[in-house]
Amino acid sequence: MVRILHVDDNETDRHLVKRELGRVFPDLQTQEVRDQRELDLALGAGQFDLAITDYQLGWSNGQAVLDALKARYPDRPVVMFTGTGNEEVAVEAMKAGLDDYVVKSPGHAIRLVTAVRSSLEKAEARNRVAEVERERADLLCLEQAARAEAERLLGEVREADKRKDEFLAMLAHELRNPLAPITNAVHLLRQPSLQGEGAERVRAMLERQVKHLGRIVDDLLDVTRITRGKIELRRERVDLTRLVREAVEDHRAAIESGKLTTAVDVPGEPVWARGDRTRLAQVVGNLLQNAAKFTDPGGRLTVRLSVDRTTQQAVLAVEDTGIGIEAELLPRIFEMFTQADRTLDRSRGGLGLGLALVRGLIELHGGKAVAASEGPGKGAQFTCRLPLDGDAAAPPEARAEAAATKPLRILVVEDSRDAAESLRMVLSLSGHEVRVAHTGPAGVAAAKEFHPAVVLCDLGLPGGMNGYDVAQALRQDATMAEVRLIAVSGYGQPEDRERARASGFDLHLTKPVDPKEL
């Protein structure tokens, strides 16, 4: 479809143009403009592909119309069709952007059609060129953005590689520190002359250094589990007020041995959150250890717990008067292997994993950890926010008594005899009737004979029938439709849970299972 805007106050000429163009363009659509008002409306709508204007108009002239058209639509072609064969007018109009100038004279119809067709083709060509240029510019921008992103990623890889090398060097340093006294202690214990108080000091030293090595290994394993999504929280209702007080007391002796003072500011009433009690205590402990490590003797640690009612969050803050954090290090302080102590002797020690564990564990609880410091020598503050537990019911111990269930028939399918027997004993003490099977086929047979209400089934079973197979076999038996199937396994990845659900299990519990949770 070709849309023509025709500006002419002569009805005969308008009819002539419409008739001649209609012979060449069957799908022609013409919008006629007879005065300034109609021109203003047409310019506002802009629904035309090409404009034709007379030069001599009773209310204006072709040059003014051309200027108005090009001001609004500079890429739309304009043809001037006029009885004024004035060369100066034509030249000025061409300078203003006119595409063609046709004089009304014998044979003008053919020239007008040719001018319109040529102008439309030129406009289409210009549009294609402009589109190609736009696409070229877009591709150039994309190329530049891709190059910049590649440079950024390469920089991150180089930085990560550098930090990995630094970490390995730190790890070697940290491992050699306890290994040196352990080696000496082994040598001393071989000496027949080492007796009494001297032997006791060596044994105490061995115990301290072995514990230190254990903490290093635990931190490495925990960080690995967090980054791979393998930590499963054992959630319960936790009083953060009590947890913070106990964590500070657990670390008070170590803090005071460094000649530091500790202030604790917690609410007088419980602050309830839902989380893993052990992991939250680990967060507080790591923050205290970090603060103590980077605070010189005579310094002060302050632990605050408060409640933000606006966001319904518990706010834990640990402040110190220590060496502070450099501005360029602050954004990366929670990243793995980041260390504030970069001195050769590494007198502060550590692997740079404690704060990474803090952030990972807090985020697993649905919270957020942030750090702040005014710079070197001005101390630091670490703040953790955790969602409050909205359950206003009784504490867990009271609810547990109310939630006691009636005795059930329970089948345990577990190939480890110790694991199966311990499960049987735990459940039997709660009044349940428990039967045990050690293979998949035996479990299916026992279920059909025993008709249990609940089946606790391991996934990694021997005998050619694993736990998934057991679940599928039981779900195919109409008599087992109401049985509650619970997978109990050391396989706890998301894909394991999804596969268990697809096989017919109702729940998935990862070993070791807390008896209260069970």
Side-chain angles (χ1 to χ4, degrees):
M1 180 176 64
V2 177
R3 300 174 301 172
I4 301 294
L5 178 67
H6 189 193
V7 184
D8 198 327
D9 52 8
N10 186 302
E11 184 177 356
T12 302
D13 286 346
R14 292 199 306 271
H15 177 72
L16 172 67
V17 168
K18 184 174 182 180
R19 183 190 67 197
E20 295 301 325
L21 292 180
R23 293 173 178 175
V24 181
F25 303 106
D27 53 353
L28 179 70
Q29 185 180 84
T30 303
Q31 181 179 0
E32 297 180 346
V33 172
R34 293 173 287 266
D35 53 37
Q36 185 65 48
R37 186 186 67 81
E38 291 183 353
L39 177 63
D40 292 340
L41 291 173
L43 288 174
Q47 298 178 351
F48 62 95
D49 302 311
L50 177 142
I52 300 174
T53 181
D54 193 2
Y55 183 78
Q56 292 183 335
L57 299 166
W59 44 275
S60 183
N61 62 60
Q63 187 66 47
V65 173
L66 173 64
D67 293 340
L69 287 165
K70 288 298 181 179
R72 293 288 296 272
Y73 307 102
D75 296 331
R76 307 276 179 92
V78 180
V79 174
M80 194 169 286
F81 183 52
T82 178
T84 304
N86 189 316
E87 184 175 344
E88 291 183 4
V89 170
V91 170
E92 289 302 316
M94 289 293 183
K95 289 180 180 179
L98 185 69
D99 289 82
D100 213 333
Y101 188 89
V102 180
V103 178
K104 298 176 182 178
S105 61
H108 65 263
I110 296 176
R111 289 194 298 272
L112 178 61
V113 169
T114 301
V116 168
R117 179 184 284 121
S118 174
S119 297
L120 287 170
E121 290 174 351
K122 289 177 182 177
E124 185 179 356
R126 286 196 302 267
N127 291 336
R128 284 201 298 268
V129 170
E131 185 177 353
V132 169
E133 287 299 320
R134 283 194 300 271
E135 291 177 354
R136 181 175 175 276
D138 290 344
L139 288 174
L140 184 60
C141 289
L142 288 173
E143 181 183 351
Q144 292 172 342
R147 188 180 295 113
E149 179 67 8
E151 288 294 330
R152 186 187 67 79
L153 292 175
L154 182 60
E156 288 185 358
V157 169
R158 286 172 177 163
E159 177 65 21
D161 193 54
K162 177 184 174 184
R163 285 166 52 206
K164 179 199 69 176
D165 291 341
E166 291 174 350
F167 165 72
L168 291 175
M170 285 190 289
L171 179 59
H173 180 278
E174 291 299 305
L175 290 175
R176 288 190 180 106
N177 276 345
L179 285 176
I182 288 174
T183 301
N184 292 335
V186 171
H187 173 74
L188 290 170
L189 289 174
R190 287 199 180 107
Q191 307 305 312
S193 58
L194 185 68
Q195 301 290 334
E197 185 179 343
E200 185 58 37
R201 284 203 305 271
V202 171
R203 282 192 290 271
M205 178 178 62
L206 269 175
E207 183 177 1
R208 287 195 303 272
Q209 298 306 323
V210 168
K211 285 182 178 179
H212 180 53
L213 273 176
R215 283 195 296 270
I216 291 175
V217 173
D218 286 343
D219 282 353
L220 287 169
L221 291 175
D222 280 346
V223 166
T224 302
R225 292 186 188 112
I226 288 176
T227 55
R228 298 179 63 185
K230 288 190 173 182
I231 280 191
E232 183 174 346
L233 300 180
R234 301 182 180 279
R235 294 183 183 271
E236 58 182 318
R237 201 162 186 245
V238 179
D239 177 9
L240 294 180
T241 300
R242 178 178 176 182
L243 183 144
V244 170
R245 283 203 188 103
E246 291 176 350
V248 172
E249 288 306 311
D250 289 343
H251 291 82
R252 188 178 293 279
I255 292 170
E256 291 178 351
S257 69
K259 299 181 180 178
L260 304 173
T261 58
T262 307
V264 182
D265 180 9
V266 297
E269 65 280 349
V271 175
W272 295 105
R274 186 161 295 278
D276 188 315
R277 187 186 304 273
T278 301
R279 293 300 186 180
L280 291 175
Q282 183 181 1
V283 165
V284 180
N286 281 11
L287 290 175
L288 289 170
Q289 291 169 12
N290 180 76
K293 183 192 305 181
F294 292 101
T295 304
D296 293 326
R300 180 181 180 85
L301 310 186
T302 304
V303 183
R304 292 189 177 89
L305 178 67
S306 59
V307 174
D308 186 341
R309 293 297 177 188
T310 303
T311 61
Q312 285 299 294
Q313 290 178 318
V315 183
L316 169 68
V318 177
E319 302 175 17
D320 63 64
T321 58
I323 66 172
I325 305 171
E326 298 173 0
E328 63 269 20
L329 187 63
L330 197 57
R332 299 190 291 108
I333 198 67
F334 286 105
E335 295 179 8
M336 287 191 297
F337 318 142
T338 298
Q339 264 287 1
D341 183 4
R342 302 178 184 180
T343 58
L344 182 62
D345 64 346
R346 289 186 40 76
S347 58
R348 311 270 176 186
L351 290 173
L353 297 179
L355 293 179
L357 284 171
V358 167
R359 181 178 68 175
L361 291 172
I362 288 295
E363 289 180 352
L364 283 175
H365 281 83
K368 185 177 182 179
V370 296
S373 175
E374 295 183 5
K378 297 184 178 180
Q381 180 186 67
F382 294 87
T383 304
C384 298
R385 288 178 166 268
L386 287 167
L388 292 173
D389 181 16
D391 186 358
E397 293 77 12
R399 291 203 304 269
E401 293 179 1
T405 60
K406 64 180 181 180
L408 300 171
R409 296 163 71 89
I410 301 176
L411 172 64
V412 175
V413 185
E414 169 65 69
D415 62 309
S416 169
R417 294 185 179 274
D418 288 342
E421 179 59 17
S422 60
L423 269 178
R424 187 195 66 76
M425 293 175 68
V426 167
L427 295 169
S428 296
L429 285 173
S430 297
H432 302 296
E433 183 181 354
V434 185
R435 185 170 295 187
V436 174
H438 298 297
T439 67
V444 174
K448 293 181 178 179
E449 176 190 347
F450 185 50
H451 298 293
V454 179
V455 175
L456 300 174
C457 185
D458 188 16
L459 296 180
L461 296 171
M465 191 177 196
N466 59 36
Y468 303 116
D469 300 329
V470 170
Q472 290 173 351
L474 294 180
R475 289 306 183 205
Q476 290 170 2
D477 188 335
T479 63
M480 300 289 158
E482 301 301 321
V483 174
R484 185 78 160 167
L485 296 184
I486 302 176
V488 182
S489 175
Y491 296 103
Q493 294 301 299
E495 56 268 25
D496 301 318
R497 295 176 177 276
E498 177 59 28
R499 186 179 175 189
R501 185 199 62 77
S503 300
F505 283 104
D506 298 292
L507 290 174
H508 182 290
L509 302 178
T510 305
K511 294 178 179 178
V513 181
D514 186 334
K516 290 183 179 179
E517 181 184 5
L518 181 61

